[in-house]
Amino acid sequence: MLLKRYTGNLLILILLFLLLAFFFLGDVFIPKAIDLSGYPLLHSVLVVFLGLFLESIPFLFLGAIASSFIQLFISEEIIQRMIPKSAFMAIFAAIVAALIIPVCECAIIPVVRRLIQKGVPVHAGVVLLVTAPILNVIVFGSTYYAFQNNPAILYGRIILCILTAIIVGLFIYIFSRKDVVKEEKPEAVRGHVHDFPPSKWTSFIEHTSQEFFMVGRYFIIGALFASIFQVLMDRTLLAEIGQAPIKGTALMMGIAFVLSLCSSADAFVAASFSHSFLPGSILGFLVFGPMLDLKNVLIMLSCFKRSFVFTYVLLVFAVVFSLCLIAGGLISKGGL
Amino acid sequence: MKTYFIQKLEGLLLLGLGMMIFKLYVSGHLTNLIAPKMVPYALAALFAFFVISLLRLKKRKQGGNHCECHSHGKSSSPALALKYSLFFIPILLGFILTDFTLSGEVLAKRGMAQQQSQKQSPNDAAGKHVNQAKITVTDDNYFEVLDDLLNNLDTIEGKEIELSGFIYREDGFTSKQVAISRLSMSCCVVDATLYGYMVNGHVKGMKTNDWYTITGTLKKGTYKGETVPVLDLKAAKKIKAPKEVYLYENVQIIQ
């Protein structure tokens, strides 16, 4: 046992030494040894990946902190008292909560999982998942700014988001299943079953760190795929399909899914598409993207059961798709 | 033993992540990857990573042995090592990379953003750039000028303009056409968008992706069917790429 711990410590020390070596010298020696300038696409994939990682990591960490906080400091009784009894009221409460909570998609998923574990009904949790990334002031601001001459997009985004939440929430409520949360592996729960329980503060640190690494590794895989699509996808070719409402909407939703943009930035990218696509398709991009994208689905897989994630993806896609087609029709007729 | 090792490993990885952000921040590369408005969040994360990594790396006085009973979980050591080793990818990338620009081929796949003329309130200072004798475009007024020009397309004919940017070409361009372009970022490099003015003239000698300061006269032209301001080249001077490659889009929520 002692020997094992000794090797463990030795390994950590070696890793620490390597880390320090790369920290000080990595940019001196490695670029000479491996010249990436001959592979511009690979280089760009790596740069985009690092950008995506750095942008999201503070919020992933925030999500881990919030989730651990709920786990350790908020009891099930408090949550039971806060949740309205009727299903409708729970959905509306969740929408209001989403408006107030200033977090977007990376942070909300572990929090929702924890809330469901603590007794929040699944449909209310799902509503939170759908609305939290879109219903916040920063997203409103950037959408308004990017589509100043087309306010229908801003209103449409908000209205469609709320409608999607209500429909998806009700659907989940009717066909509700209780066990949607993925079982935690033993290594993730060890913190609080001790004979001599450590202080709450210690377990808080432990939980946060474990949660972060569990969600983080899925996020890294998602971000890698997203950056490959980011770099390889030829956006100029897409314009040709843009004017067909059905194909265009499906395509824009697909693009939003693979690009995995942050919901406070996607409006600018959407604006660059706005000449080649119809308003309904742009709405598809702006409503679907924040709810579901590559990195998101992978984070969800780290928190929820596979069957639930699958149902959720199909459901959200179908609802957003039909709503966008309706909204597109209304906008082109001059409504909204 | 495994629990103990994982605890240390998590501490080490958090330390690495913090060091990676620190290195990028100190070397000034951080704003090539994320917009300045996101930097405070990254720094907060850096602080949090350091604190938690120290707490994780610290030797625990008690508890180490009690944890043993739960450490014989489902996942085996190699699987666990693989899961954690994923985190070395971003850490090492942050340590190793020195060039954070997107390649020209990638930009060509994104295409140039087609700015729409924005509706402006009447009491806005609209048109203040257009009325100057010579328009000088800087990083700070880039979007203001672009908006102004798009709003006053009919009156800009013949006006002189000076701006810097890199040369960008698309497949459809003739040998006498380039675009003088800038990249703009609102959150991070993922949403980098290309803005630019079409330039007509003797541009054959100008290499794609090289930086130039261009003087030209404005006129109305088209790009992909949209009416846009176009430049007739008067003079071009090759310059070094600036330190701040990106323009940052400032969203004013309250207007």
Side-chain angles (χ1 to χ4, degrees):
Chain A
M1 211 52 161
L2 210 66
L3 193 72
K4 265 187 164 180
R5 173 164 298 190
Y6 179 72
T7 30
N9 269 336
L10 193 68
L11 200 59
I12 292 289
L13 264 179
I14 293 171
L15 285 175
L16 183 67
F17 176 75
L18 281 176
L19 215 56
L20 284 172
F22 273 105
F23 176 70
F24 286 112
L25 302 169
D27 52 349
V28 184
F29 292 116
I30 304 294
K32 279 182 202 153
I34 313 161
D35 190 16
L36 280 178
S37 58
Y39 309 93
L41 290 182
L42 175 65
H43 180 248
S44 298
V45 168
L46 297 179
V47 169
V48 166
F49 166 72
L50 199 59
L52 192 57
F53 183 80
L54 282 170
E55 174 199 44
S56 315
I57 211 76
F59 301 100
L60 271 183
F61 202 68
L62 189 70
I65 292 175
S67 157
S68 313
F69 182 82
I70 295 169
Q71 164 75 17
L72 292 168
F73 297 103
I74 297 183
S75 72
E76 276 146 50
E77 291 85 63
I78 296 178
I79 287 179
Q80 288 300 339
R81 250 182 289 149
M82 277 169 63
I83 295 290
K85 287 284 165 290
S86 99
F88 274 108
M89 287 315 288
I91 288 177
F92 283 109
I95 292 175
V96 172
L99 255 170
I100 299 165
I101 307 171
V103 294
C104 53
E105 63 260 40
C106 298
I108 196 74
I109 295 168
V111 173
V112 167
R113 177 190 59 167
R114 195 63 73 191
L115 284 173
I116 291 176
Q117 276 179 336
K118 287 273 178 178
V120 168
V122 176
H123 65 277
V126 165
V127 169
L128 209 53
L129 276 183
V130 168
T131 48
I134 294 181
L135 296 186
N136 71 58
V137 183
I138 299 162
V139 176
F140 294 165
S142 64
T143 315
Y144 170 78
Y145 184 80
F147 289 96
Q148 275 172 3
N149 52 349
N150 199 355
I153 298 286
L154 173 62
Y155 305 139
R157 191 177 194 186
I158 299 169
I159 294 167
L160 287 195
C161 170
I162 294 174
L163 285 179
T164 309
I166 295 171
I167 296 169
V168 172
L170 283 177
F171 191 90
I172 296 277
Y173 177 70
I174 293 163
F175 301 96
S176 163
R177 278 175 305 162
K178 296 281 175 282
D179 56 333
V180 295
V181 172
K182 202 171 171 181
E183 293 298 316
E184 281 177 282
K185 294 210 178 96
E187 78 228 24
V189 285
R190 69 184 124 91
H192 47 117
V193 261
H194 290 194
D195 296 338
F196 308 100
S199 72
K200 277 224 156 166
W201 175 239
T202 319
S203 3
F204 180 65
I205 296 290
E206 230 178 83
H207 259 281
T208 306
S209 160
Q210 279 158 8
E211 184 96 27
F212 172 72
F213 280 99
M214 194 185 64
V215 175
R217 58 182 176 240
Y218 284 88
F219 166 75
I220 289 176
I221 298 170
L224 274 173
F225 279 116
S227 32
I228 291 170
F229 279 113
Q230 271 272 347
V231 168
L232 295 187
M233 201 178 69
D234 197 332
R235 296 185 202 176
T236 53
L237 289 181
L238 302 171
E240 287 153 28
I241 327 172
Q243 292 305 318
I246 294 177
K247 256 197 260 171
T249 305
L251 186 69
M252 279 307 264
M253 287 167 72
I255 296 170
F257 184 83
V258 293
L259 287 188
S260 302
L261 296 162
C262 183
S263 60
S264 51
D266 59 356
F268 295 99
V269 177
S272 71
F273 282 119
S274 65
H275 282 238
S276 19
F277 285 87
L278 296 167
S281 314
I282 298 291
L283 275 176
F285 182 88
L286 287 172
V287 175
F288 188 66
M291 294 174 189
L292 276 174
D293 57 42
L294 253 178
K295 68 172 159 51
N296 243 342
V297 167
L298 275 152
I299 298 176
M300 281 191 79
L301 282 173
S302 76
C303 295
F304 298 102
K305 286 201 167 142
R306 236 173 258 171
S307 57
F308 172 72
V309 177
F310 189 67
T311 324
Y312 177 80
V313 171
L314 279 185
L315 192 59
V316 170
F317 181 85
V319 172
V320 173
F321 185 63
S322 13
L323 283 176
C324 284
L325 287 183
I326 297 168
L330 283 176
I331 292 174
S332 59
K333 284 205 187 84
L336 267 178
Chain B
M1 141 61 205
K2 212 158 76 188
T3 318
Y4 177 80
F5 179 68
I6 284 168
Q7 186 196 333
K8 300 272 147 159
L9 188 63
E10 283 181 0
L12 188 81
L13 285 169
L14 285 173
L15 184 72
L17 287 173
M19 277 157 65
M20 186 261 283
I21 299 174
F22 180 77
K23 182 168 185 176
L24 290 173
Y25 180 66
V26 170
S27 63
H29 288 315
L30 197 56
T31 47
N32 286 332
L33 289 166
I34 55 176
K37 69 169 183 202
M38 304 303 280
V39 169
Y41 297 108
L43 294 182
L46 168 122
F47 179 73
F49 287 162
F50 277 149
V51 170
I52 297 202
S53 89
L54 286 183
L55 290 169
R56 295 296 271 169
L57 283 173
K58 199 182 70 179
K59 225 179 203 158
R60 254 199 292 170
K61 281 172 197 140
Q62 43 117 319
N65 286 325
H66 305 298
C67 285
E68 302 288 340
C69 46
H70 292 282
S71 61
H72 310 292
K74 285 177 214 155
S75 44
S76 59
S77 291
L80 214 60
L82 199 68
K83 281 172 186 168
Y84 280 98
S85 60
L86 275 175
F87 285 86
F88 282 110
I89 302 174
I91 295 176
L92 292 182
L93 279 180
F95 286 166
I96 290 168
L97 290 180
T98 48
D99 174 18
F100 292 94
T101 49
L102 295 176
S103 78
E105 282 144 71
V106 179
L107 297 178
K109 283 188 177 152
R110 292 190 179 192
M112 206 151 68
Q114 296 155 2
Q115 264 270 328
Q116 300 161 293
S117 61
Q118 316 252 328
K119 241 188 252 163
Q120 280 178 329
S121 47
N123 57 351
D124 214 341
K128 74 173 177 188
H129 297 289
V130 178
N131 295 329
Q132 289 166 352
K134 183 183 178 185
I135 308 165
T136 310
V137 182
T138 62
D139 281 11
D140 295 324
N141 69 11
Y142 193 91
F143 290 109
E144 273 178 50
V145 171
L146 192 58
D147 273 3
D148 261 9
L149 294 180
L150 286 163
N151 281 322
N152 302 290
L153 273 174
D154 297 321
T155 58
I156 56 166
E157 186 97 38
K159 279 252 152 73
E160 193 163 303
I161 186 168
E162 185 191 290
L163 80 160
S164 308
F166 62 89
I167 300 296
Y168 165 77
R169 283 186 173 88
E170 254 170 40
D171 283 346
F173 286 13
T174 64
S175 61
K176 290 195 159 188
Q177 277 182 322
V178 289
I180 184 90
S181 323
R182 292 299 300 266
L183 276 172
S184 133
M185 171 196 302
S186 53
C187 267
C188 78
V189 66
V190 178
D191 55 63
T193 315
L194 192 74
Y195 288 94
Y197 294 88
M198 294 290 293
V199 179
N200 296 323
H202 289 290
V203 293
K204 253 191 172 157
M206 295 157 101
K207 250 175 68 189
T208 306
N209 284 339
D210 277 356
W211 283 75
Y212 281 92
T213 298
I214 278 185
T215 322
T217 44
L218 284 162
K219 67 171 188 198
K220 213 156 93 173
T222 53
Y223 171 75
K224 289 192 182 162
E226 289 295 317
T227 325
V228 290
V230 169
L231 271 75
D232 277 331
L233 185 69
K234 267 170 91 179
K237 197 177 89 204
K238 198 172 174 205
I239 53 168
K240 269 172 97 177
K243 213 159 178 289
E244 292 281 344
V245 179
Y246 289 92
L247 299 166
Y248 301 102
E249 250 159 309
N250 291 310
V251 181
Q252 281 136 10
I253 292 168
I254 303 140
Q255 282 187 320

